[in-house]
């Protein structure tokens, strides 16, 4: 190589940094494009549904409510407080019933038995280690009101 075609150190560094800058810009553009195409994971919106006055619940009593999609929710009061569960058995989707005299939930399809905390202790749900799905519940002691928190999948919302 002769002296005229030889690149100086300054020219070589300028070309190297220019190339790296272009690569970085395209990398950022590609990452932003990918993030634009991938949907964001957002926490589902919820609503509080009125589930009655505290004094309406007797200890050991269960009341039925429905969420915004028509799913049945069982709200139970015990000495420790309030609990809420989906009434759908996790085994095959049958509806469980509260048996106050036995202090348990019963799934009539395959005689699945659940304790007052919703944990299965007999039948196919117990064999599979399944429990009733809990539903968030809020108790406003000052106002004397019970609310169940349900996912808001109303019109215009994705499931």
């Amino acid at each position: 190589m002769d002296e005229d075609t030889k690149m100086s150190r300054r020219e070589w560094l300028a070309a190297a940094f220019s190339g790296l800058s272009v690569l970085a810009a395209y990398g950022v553009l590609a990452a932003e494009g990918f993030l634009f195409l991938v949907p964001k994971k957002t926490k589902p919106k919820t609503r509080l549904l009125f589930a009655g006055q505290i004094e309406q619940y007797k200890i050991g009593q269960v009341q039925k409510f429905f969420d915004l999609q028509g799913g049945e929710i069982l709200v139970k009061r015990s000495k420790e407080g309030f609990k809420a569960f989906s009434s759908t058995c996790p085994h095959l989707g049958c509806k469980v019933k509260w048996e106050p005299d036995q202090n348990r939930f019963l799934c009539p399809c395959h005689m699945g038995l659940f304790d007052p905390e919703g944990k299965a202790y007999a039948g196919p749900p117990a064999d599979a280690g399944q429990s009733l799905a809990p539903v968030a519940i809020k108790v406003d002691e000052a106002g004397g009101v019970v609310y169940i928190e349900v996912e808001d999948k109303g019109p215009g919302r994705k499931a």
Side-chain angles (χ1 to χ4, degrees):
M1 280 186 160
D2 61 11
E3 292 289 319
D4 294 336
T5 59
K6 201 173 194 183
M7 189 183 285
S8 71
R9 181 182 294 169
R10 180 174 288 169
E11 291 171 333
W12 185 87
L13 286 173
F17 282 123
S18 294
L20 287 174
S21 298
V22 168
L23 284 175
Y26 279 119
V28 168
L29 181 65
E32 288 295 322
F34 178 75
L35 292 175
F36 176 76
L37 294 175
V38 175
K40 293 180 184 176
K41 299 205 189 255
T42 58
K43 183 179 174 187
K45 292 194 181 259
T46 60
R47 285 190 187 191
L48 292 179
L49 297 181
F50 177 74
Q53 300 289 330
I54 292 175
E55 68 265 6
Q56 288 178 259
Y57 290 88
K58 305 290 184 250
I59 294 191
Q61 179 185 15
V62 172
Q63 291 188 23
K64 251 188 251 187
F65 293 93
F66 294 92
D67 64 13
L68 299 174
Q69 290 74 47
E72 199 174 86
I73 297 172
L74 303 173
V75 178
K76 180 183 177 302
R77 184 177 188 184
S78 66
K79 291 177 185 171
E80 293 79 32
F82 287 86
K83 296 259 185 179
F85 308 97
S86 167
S87 70
T88 303
C89 178
H91 176 237
L92 288 178
C94 299
K95 296 294 179 202
V96 300
K97 299 177 202 164
W98 174 247
E99 293 184 323
D101 54 323
Q102 301 288 324
N103 197 33
R104 68 184 184 188
F105 293 98
L106 165 73
C107 177
C109 292
H110 294 101
M111 298 308 293
L113 300 176
F114 301 84
D115 68 13
E117 302 299 309
K119 186 172 181 346
Y121 66 89
D127 296 341
Q130 299 171 316
S131 297
L132 295 176
V135 175
I137 190 163
K138 308 263 187 221
V139 179
D140 179 3
E141 297 284 345
V145 180
V146 179
Y147 298 98
I148 49 178
E149 187 174 0
V150 297
E151 199 169 321
D152 187 359
K153 294 181 186 172
R157 299 206 188 274
K158 292 184 180 180

